[in-house]
Amino acid sequence: ETGVTQSPTHLIKTRGQQVTLRCSSQSGHNTVSWYQQALGQGPQFIFQYYREEENGRGNFPPRFSGLQFPNYSSELNVNALELDDSALYLCASSWRAGAYEQYFGPGTRLTVT
Amino acid sequence: GNSVTQMEGPVTLSEEAFLTINCTYTATGYPSLFWYVQYPGEGLQLLLKATKADDKGSNKGFEATYRKETTSFHLEKGSVQVSDSAVYFCALSDQGQGGSEKLVFGKGTKLTVNP
């Protein structure tokens, strides 16, 4: 059984740029959630995708957007990067929306300078 | 909205000491409760869970009991090891629009176990 994978591991961007982060869900899972974890804080929910549609969203502006593909992998896109977007971005997969257990990938560390 | 309050860290213990990390929650309804662990440089791993009142979750010597009357889900381990050094997050499930199920996390408690 393949776990959740994310790419890239690290990246550095400049304020105002755009970034795309990628996530492959665990085998058999059809729901992907994205979280932002600032340094020293707990993860904050960005949004969730189920069957290729956004299924719920946290308190993040529209410049945070996503996609889910037919194979249930997902992308997180952030436009017009701000310094405060520097964080660890975690992807979690689960079986169907409404599932209780979410399994996390190792995260992508984004630094905005 | 739903929220989780965790014991402030950091916590430093000697090997074989008893561990308690307090977690209380505020929620409408009856959420599922979780403890996740994050080792340095890694993502979160599910440690244990409880889905209803009085349920006890357990894994790798860690335990936590879902207490509805005190809205608590404290994490305990009878004898910690150096390898338990990590950050521990308490979380609850929060059902949102469209049937989505997000996790709401506490701020985390860093545990260091010394030999």
Side-chain angles (χ1 to χ4, degrees), chain A residues 37-38 40-43 88 90 104-107 109, chain B residues 35-47 84-89 107-111:
Chain A
Q37 185 180 14
Q41 301 295 315
L88 181 67
L90 295 164
F104 285 80
R109 172 73 62 187
Chain B
W35 278 99
Y36 280 84
V37 58
Q38 188 173 36
Y39 297 100
E42 298 185 12
L44 275 70
Q45 297 178 24
L46 178 63
L47 181 58
D84 294 327
S85 298
V87 180
Y88 292 81
F89 292 93
K107 291 187 176 182
T109 303
K110 183 177 181 180
L111 170 67

mmCIF file of all heavy atoms in Angstrom, chain A residues 37-38 40-43 88 90 104-107 109, chain B residues 35-47 84-89 107-111:
data_model
loop_
_atom_site.group_PDB
_atom_site.id
_atom_site.type_symbol
_atom_site.label_atom_id
_atom_site.label_comp_id
_atom_site.label_asym_id
_atom_site.label_seq_id
_atom_site.Cartn_x
_atom_site.Cartn_y
_atom_site.Cartn_z
ATOM 1 N N GLN A 37 0.613 24.626 7.810
ATOM 2 C CA GLN A 37 1.151 24.605 9.166
ATOM 3 C C GLN A 37 2.261 25.639 9.282
ATOM 4 O O GLN A 37 3.371 25.444 8.788
ATOM 5 C CB GLN A 37 1.691 23.214 9.526
ATOM 6 C CG GLN A 37 2.140 23.116 10.976
ATOM 7 C CD GLN A 37 2.681 21.751 11.357
ATOM 8 O OE1 GLN A 37 2.970 20.912 10.506
ATOM 9 N NE2 GLN A 37 2.830 21.503 12.645
ATOM 10 N N ALA A 38 1.946 26.753 9.933
ATOM 11 C CA ALA A 38 2.962 27.770 10.193
ATOM 12 C C ALA A 38 3.889 27.272 11.293
ATOM 13 O O ALA A 38 3.536 26.374 12.076
ATOM 14 C CB ALA A 38 2.286 29.068 10.606
ATOM 15 N N GLY A 40 5.625 26.391 14.460
ATOM 16 C CA GLY A 40 5.213 26.376 15.848
ATOM 17 C C GLY A 40 3.715 26.316 16.078
ATOM 18 O O GLY A 40 3.255 26.459 17.220
ATOM 19 N N GLN A 41 2.942 26.114 15.023
ATOM 20 C CA GLN A 41 1.483 26.076 15.126
ATOM 21 C C GLN A 41 0.927 24.724 14.672
ATOM 22 O O GLN A 41 1.633 23.929 14.051
ATOM 23 C CB GLN A 41 0.875 27.178 14.259
ATOM 24 C CG GLN A 41 1.321 28.574 14.626
ATOM 25 C CD GLN A 41 0.865 28.979 16.010
ATOM 26 O OE1 GLN A 41 -0.291 28.763 16.376
ATOM 27 N NE2 GLN A 41 1.764 29.539 16.803
ATOM 28 N N GLY A 42 -0.333 24.501 14.971
ATOM 29 C CA GLY A 42 -1.013 23.339 14.443
ATOM 30 C C GLY A 42 -1.476 23.592 13.017
ATOM 31 O O GLY A 42 -1.607 24.742 12.585
ATOM 32 N N PRO A 43 -1.691 22.541 12.254
ATOM 33 C CA PRO A 43 -2.169 22.700 10.867
ATOM 34 C C PRO A 43 -3.530 23.379 10.811
ATOM 35 O O PRO A 43 -4.383 23.142 11.664
ATOM 36 C CB PRO A 43 -2.254 21.255 10.365
ATOM 37 C CG PRO A 43 -1.333 20.474 11.253
ATOM 38 C CD PRO A 43 -1.419 21.127 12.588
ATOM 39 N N LEU A 88 4.703 25.018 6.186
ATOM 40 C CA LEU A 88 4.700 23.627 5.729
ATOM 41 C C LEU A 88 3.298 23.327 5.216
ATOM 42 O O LEU A 88 2.313 23.536 5.945
ATOM 43 C CB LEU A 88 5.062 22.695 6.879
ATOM 44 C CG LEU A 88 5.123 21.198 6.566
ATOM 45 C CD1 LEU A 88 6.281 20.878 5.615
ATOM 46 C CD2 LEU A 88 5.249 20.385 7.859
ATOM 47 N N LEU A 90 0.674 20.602 4.085
ATOM 48 C CA LEU A 90 0.420 19.183 4.269
ATOM 49 C C LEU A 90 -0.791 18.751 3.473
ATOM 50 O O LEU A 90 -1.828 19.424 3.468
ATOM 51 C CB LEU A 90 0.177 18.888 5.755
ATOM 52 C CG LEU A 90 1.365 19.130 6.689
ATOM 53 C CD1 LEU A 90 0.898 19.191 8.136
ATOM 54 C CD2 LEU A 90 2.411 18.044 6.514
ATOM 55 N N PHE A 104 -1.549 11.667 6.434
ATOM 56 C CA PHE A 104 -0.798 12.820 5.959
ATOM 57 C C PHE A 104 0.462 12.420 5.203
ATOM 58 O O PHE A 104 1.113 11.418 5.521
ATOM 59 C CB PHE A 104 -0.404 13.706 7.143
ATOM 60 C CG PHE A 104 -1.545 14.517 7.688
ATOM 61 C CD1 PHE A 104 -2.476 13.951 8.544
ATOM 62 C CD2 PHE A 104 -1.693 15.843 7.321
ATOM 63 C CE1 PHE A 104 -3.543 14.691 9.029
ATOM 64 C CE2 PHE A 104 -2.753 16.603 7.819
ATOM 65 C CZ PHE A 104 -3.674 16.017 8.665
ATOM 66 N N GLY A 105 0.799 13.269 4.236
ATOM 67 C CA GLY A 105 2.079 13.168 3.572
ATOM 68 C C GLY A 105 3.147 13.909 4.368
ATOM 69 O O GLY A 105 2.859 14.517 5.400
ATOM 70 N N PRO A 106 4.386 13.878 3.875
ATOM 71 C CA PRO A 106 5.494 14.504 4.610
ATOM 72 C C PRO A 106 5.519 16.020 4.524
ATOM 73 O O PRO A 106 6.238 16.676 5.292
ATOM 74 C CB PRO A 106 6.732 13.911 3.929
ATOM 75 C CG PRO A 106 6.274 13.576 2.557
ATOM 76 C CD PRO A 106 4.837 13.162 2.680
ATOM 77 N N GLY A 107 4.737 16.581 3.590
ATOM 78 C CA GLY A 107 4.667 18.030 3.507
ATOM 79 C C GLY A 107 5.639 18.647 2.517
ATOM 80 O O GLY A 107 6.630 18.032 2.116
ATOM 81 N N ARG A 109 7.758 22.219 2.278
ATOM 82 C CA ARG A 109 8.166 23.434 3.013
ATOM 83 C C ARG A 109 8.324 24.566 2.002
ATOM 84 O O ARG A 109 9.205 24.512 1.141
ATOM 85 C CB ARG A 109 9.480 23.186 3.741
ATOM 86 C CG ARG A 109 10.092 24.428 4.371
ATOM 87 C CD ARG A 109 9.332 24.872 5.600
ATOM 88 N NE ARG A 109 9.331 23.893 6.664
ATOM 89 C CZ ARG A 109 8.620 24.020 7.781
ATOM 90 N NH1 ARG A 109 7.854 25.080 7.970
ATOM 91 N NH2 ARG A 109 8.670 23.094 8.707
ATOM 92 N N TRP B 35 -5.227 11.934 18.312
ATOM 93 C CA TRP B 35 -3.886 12.414 18.606
ATOM 94 C C TRP B 35 -3.002 12.062 17.417
ATOM 95 O O TRP B 35 -2.989 10.909 16.953
ATOM 96 C CB TRP B 35 -3.321 11.770 19.869
ATOM 97 C CG TRP B 35 -3.791 12.442 21.115
ATOM 98 C CD1 TRP B 35 -4.795 12.050 21.938
ATOM 99 C CD2 TRP B 35 -3.262 13.647 21.690
ATOM 100 N NE1 TRP B 35 -4.937 12.933 22.978
ATOM 101 C CE2 TRP B 35 -4.007 13.927 22.849
ATOM 102 C CE3 TRP B 35 -2.220 14.518 21.337
ATOM 103 C CZ2 TRP B 35 -3.750 15.042 23.667
ATOM 104 C CZ3 TRP B 35 -1.969 15.617 22.138
ATOM 105 C CH2 TRP B 35 -2.735 15.864 23.288
ATOM 106 N N TYR B 36 -2.314 13.099 16.932
ATOM 107 C CA TYR B 36 -1.328 12.921 15.871
ATOM 108 C C TYR B 36 0.050 13.227 16.441
ATOM 109 O O TYR B 36 0.190 14.055 17.350
ATOM 110 C CB TYR B 36 -1.604 13.858 14.701
ATOM 111 C CG TYR B 36 -2.690 13.392 13.750
ATOM 112 C CD1 TYR B 36 -4.029 13.643 14.020
ATOM 113 C CD2 TYR B 36 -2.372 12.700 12.590
ATOM 114 C CE1 TYR B 36 -5.026 13.216 13.144
ATOM 115 C CE2 TYR B 36 -3.359 12.266 11.709
ATOM 116 C CZ TYR B 36 -4.682 12.532 11.999
ATOM 117 O OH TYR B 36 -5.662 12.114 11.128
ATOM 118 N N VAL B 37 1.084 12.606 15.859
ATOM 119 C CA VAL B 37 2.455 12.866 16.282
ATOM 120 C C VAL B 37 3.278 13.296 15.074
ATOM 121 O O VAL B 37 3.077 12.793 13.960
ATOM 122 C CB VAL B 37 3.074 11.615 16.962
ATOM 123 C CG1 VAL B 37 3.069 10.398 16.050
ATOM 124 C CG2 VAL B 37 4.483 11.908 17.442
ATOM 125 N N GLN B 38 4.146 14.265 15.290
ATOM 126 C CA GLN B 38 5.005 14.779 14.221
ATOM 127 C C GLN B 38 6.449 14.703 14.673
ATOM 128 O O GLN B 38 6.863 15.433 15.586
ATOM 129 C CB GLN B 38 4.618 16.219 13.870
ATOM 130 C CG GLN B 38 5.328 16.774 12.656
ATOM 131 C CD GLN B 38 4.790 18.135 12.255
ATOM 132 O OE1 GLN B 38 4.427 18.949 13.100
ATOM 133 N NE2 GLN B 38 4.727 18.395 10.942
ATOM 134 N N TYR B 39 7.218 13.825 14.027
ATOM 135 C CA TYR B 39 8.642 13.724 14.309
ATOM 136 C C TYR B 39 9.384 14.807 13.527
ATOM 137 O O TYR B 39 8.880 15.289 12.504
ATOM 138 C CB TYR B 39 9.145 12.329 13.971
ATOM 139 C CG TYR B 39 8.504 11.257 14.820
ATOM 140 C CD1 TYR B 39 7.456 10.483 14.330
ATOM 141 C CD2 TYR B 39 8.915 11.050 16.135
ATOM 142 C CE1 TYR B 39 6.843 9.521 15.121
ATOM 143 C CE2 TYR B 39 8.302 10.090 16.930
ATOM 144 C CZ TYR B 39 7.263 9.340 16.408
ATOM 145 O OH TYR B 39 6.641 8.407 17.195
ATOM 146 N N PRO B 40 10.552 15.200 13.964
ATOM 147 C CA PRO B 40 11.280 16.292 13.307
ATOM 148 C C PRO B 40 11.413 16.082 11.801
ATOM 149 O O PRO B 40 11.833 15.019 11.351
ATOM 150 C CB PRO B 40 12.637 16.261 14.011
ATOM 151 C CG PRO B 40 12.349 15.687 15.357
ATOM 152 C CD PRO B 40 11.257 14.674 15.141
ATOM 153 N N GLY B 41 11.027 17.104 11.054
ATOM 154 C CA GLY B 41 11.180 17.074 9.608
ATOM 155 C C GLY B 41 10.193 16.199 8.874
ATOM 156 O O GLY B 41 10.348 15.954 7.674
ATOM 157 N N GLU B 42 9.157 15.730 9.564
ATOM 158 C CA GLU B 42 8.208 14.817 8.937
ATOM 159 C C GLU B 42 6.781 15.374 9.005
ATOM 160 O O GLU B 42 6.516 16.374 9.652
ATOM 161 C CB GLU B 42 8.262 13.453 9.620
ATOM 162 C CG GLU B 42 9.611 12.765 9.503
ATOM 163 C CD GLU B 42 9.589 11.362 10.096
ATOM 164 O OE1 GLU B 42 8.498 10.843 10.395
ATOM 165 O OE2 GLU B 42 10.696 10.797 10.245
ATOM 166 N N GLY B 43 5.873 14.684 8.292
ATOM 167 C CA GLY B 43 4.455 15.026 8.376
ATOM 168 C C GLY B 43 3.836 14.435 9.623
ATOM 169 O O GLY B 43 4.531 13.951 10.509
ATOM 170 N N LEU B 44 2.504 14.486 9.670
ATOM 171 C CA LEU B 44 1.790 14.000 10.855
ATOM 172 C C LEU B 44 1.420 12.524 10.700
ATOM 173 O O LEU B 44 1.002 12.084 9.634
ATOM 174 C CB LEU B 44 0.503 14.802 11.061
ATOM 175 C CG LEU B 44 0.637 16.113 11.816
ATOM 176 C CD1 LEU B 44 1.376 17.137 10.987
ATOM 177 C CD2 LEU B 44 -0.741 16.643 12.195
ATOM 178 N N GLN B 45 1.555 11.795 11.795
ATOM 179 C CA GLN B 45 1.141 10.392 11.826
ATOM 180 C C GLN B 45 0.014 10.241 12.832
ATOM 181 O O GLN B 45 0.096 10.763 13.948
ATOM 182 C CB GLN B 45 2.304 9.491 12.247
ATOM 183 C CG GLN B 45 3.485 9.485 11.308
ATOM 184 C CD GLN B 45 4.605 8.607 11.826
ATOM 185 O OE1 GLN B 45 4.379 7.682 12.613
ATOM 186 N NE2 GLN B 45 5.829 8.877 11.375
ATOM 187 N N LEU B 46 -1.025 9.527 12.424
ATOM 188 C CA LEU B 46 -2.118 9.258 13.352
ATOM 189 C C LEU B 46 -1.619 8.324 14.454
ATOM 190 O O LEU B 46 -1.121 7.238 14.186
ATOM 191 C CB LEU B 46 -3.284 8.612 12.603
ATOM 192 C CG LEU B 46 -4.487 8.220 13.448
ATOM 193 C CD1 LEU B 46 -5.128 9.435 14.092
ATOM 194 C CD2 LEU B 46 -5.513 7.473 12.595
ATOM 195 N N LEU B 47 -1.763 8.758 15.704
ATOM 196 C CA LEU B 47 -1.312 7.959 16.830
ATOM 197 C C LEU B 47 -2.460 7.115 17.386
ATOM 198 O O LEU B 47 -2.332 5.914 17.587
ATOM 199 C CB LEU B 47 -0.747 8.864 17.922
ATOM 200 C CG LEU B 47 -0.192 8.206 19.173
ATOM 201 C CD1 LEU B 47 0.931 7.241 18.841
ATOM 202 C CD2 LEU B 47 0.276 9.269 20.167
ATOM 203 N N ASP B 84 10.204 8.645 21.745
ATOM 204 C CA ASP B 84 8.896 9.319 21.792
ATOM 205 C C ASP B 84 9.031 10.828 21.639
ATOM 206 O O ASP B 84 8.012 11.546 21.562
ATOM 207 C CB ASP B 84 8.169 9.016 23.107
ATOM 208 C CG ASP B 84 7.790 7.550 23.243
ATOM 209 O OD1 ASP B 84 7.486 6.923 22.199
ATOM 210 O OD2 ASP B 84 7.804 7.039 24.384
ATOM 211 N N SER B 85 10.243 11.327 21.614
ATOM 212 C CA SER B 85 10.463 12.765 21.450
ATOM 213 C C SER B 85 9.883 13.226 20.113
ATOM 214 O O SER B 85 10.279 12.727 19.056
ATOM 215 C CB SER B 85 11.956 13.091 21.514
ATOM 216 O OG SER B 85 12.500 12.743 22.772
ATOM 217 N N ALA B 86 8.951 14.158 20.169
ATOM 218 C CA ALA B 86 8.227 14.608 18.984
ATOM 219 C C ALA B 86 7.267 15.718 19.413
ATOM 220 O O ALA B 86 7.210 16.089 20.588
ATOM 221 C CB ALA B 86 7.437 13.458 18.370
ATOM 222 N N VAL B 87 6.513 16.213 18.448
ATOM 223 C CA VAL B 87 5.430 17.152 18.751
ATOM 224 C C VAL B 87 4.104 16.405 18.632
ATOM 225 O O VAL B 87 3.871 15.711 17.637
ATOM 226 C CB VAL B 87 5.445 18.370 17.807
ATOM 227 C CG1 VAL B 87 4.308 19.325 18.164
ATOM 228 C CG2 VAL B 87 6.792 19.090 17.881
ATOM 229 N N TYR B 88 3.256 16.562 19.630
ATOM 230 C CA TYR B 88 1.980 15.853 19.683
ATOM 231 C C TYR B 88 0.831 16.847 19.499
ATOM 232 O O TYR B 88 0.792 17.884 20.153
ATOM 233 C CB TYR B 88 1.846 15.106 21.012
ATOM 234 C CG TYR B 88 2.834 13.965 21.118
ATOM 235 C CD1 TYR B 88 4.156 14.199 21.484
ATOM 236 C CD2 TYR B 88 2.461 12.660 20.808
ATOM 237 C CE1 TYR B 88 5.077 13.161 21.549
ATOM 238 C CE2 TYR B 88 3.372 11.621 20.869
ATOM 239 C CZ TYR B 88 4.681 11.884 21.238
ATOM 240 O OH TYR B 88 5.597 10.849 21.286
ATOM 241 N N PHE B 89 -0.091 16.489 18.598
ATOM 242 C CA PHE B 89 -1.226 17.345 18.295
ATOM 243 C C PHE B 89 -2.528 16.627 18.629
ATOM 244 O O PHE B 89 -2.757 15.498 18.178
ATOM 245 C CB PHE B 89 -1.262 17.710 16.809
ATOM 246 C CG PHE B 89 -0.141 18.599 16.359
ATOM 247 C CD1 PHE B 89 1.022 18.069 15.847
ATOM 248 C CD2 PHE B 89 -0.270 19.982 16.456
ATOM 249 C CE1 PHE B 89 2.052 18.891 15.423
ATOM 250 C CE2 PHE B 89 0.752 20.812 16.044
ATOM 251 C CZ PHE B 89 1.923 20.265 15.519
ATOM 252 N N LYS B 107 -2.453 23.544 19.141
ATOM 253 C CA LYS B 107 -1.194 24.149 18.723
ATOM 254 C C LYS B 107 -0.004 23.206 18.831
ATOM 255 O O LYS B 107 1.078 23.528 18.344
ATOM 256 C CB LYS B 107 -0.926 25.409 19.554
ATOM 257 C CG LYS B 107 -1.891 26.532 19.249
ATOM 258 C CD LYS B 107 -1.506 27.817 19.965
ATOM 259 C CE LYS B 107 -2.440 28.946 19.553
ATOM 260 N NZ LYS B 107 -2.064 30.232 20.193
ATOM 261 N N GLY B 108 -0.205 22.068 19.453
ATOM 262 C CA GLY B 108 0.879 21.099 19.565
ATOM 263 C C GLY B 108 1.652 21.234 20.864
ATOM 264 O O GLY B 108 1.764 22.332 21.433
ATOM 265 N N THR B 109 2.175 20.121 21.332
ATOM 266 C CA THR B 109 2.998 20.076 22.536
ATOM 267 C C THR B 109 4.279 19.328 22.203
ATOM 268 O O THR B 109 4.234 18.174 21.777
ATOM 269 C CB THR B 109 2.274 19.346 23.691
ATOM 270 O OG1 THR B 109 1.038 19.990 23.959
ATOM 271 C CG2 THR B 109 3.138 19.324 24.944
ATOM 272 N N LYS B 110 5.389 20.017 22.374
ATOM 273 C CA LYS B 110 6.680 19.394 22.065
ATOM 274 C C LYS B 110 7.166 18.605 23.271
ATOM 275 O O LYS B 110 7.268 19.149 24.374
ATOM 276 C CB LYS B 110 7.714 20.450 21.681
ATOM 277 C CG LYS B 110 9.058 19.845 21.286
ATOM 278 C CD LYS B 110 10.045 20.896 20.831
ATOM 279 C CE LYS B 110 11.364 20.264 20.420
ATOM 280 N NZ LYS B 110 12.363 21.268 19.962
ATOM 281 N N LEU B 111 7.447 17.341 23.052
ATOM 282 C CA LEU B 111 7.953 16.460 24.096
ATOM 283 C C LEU B 111 9.406 16.106 23.801
ATOM 284 O O LEU B 111 9.727 15.669 22.695
ATOM 285 C CB LEU B 111 7.121 15.174 24.161
ATOM 286 C CG LEU B 111 7.675 14.053 25.048
ATOM 287 C CD1 LEU B 111 7.654 14.453 26.512
ATOM 288 C CD2 LEU B 111 6.888 12.749 24.838
#
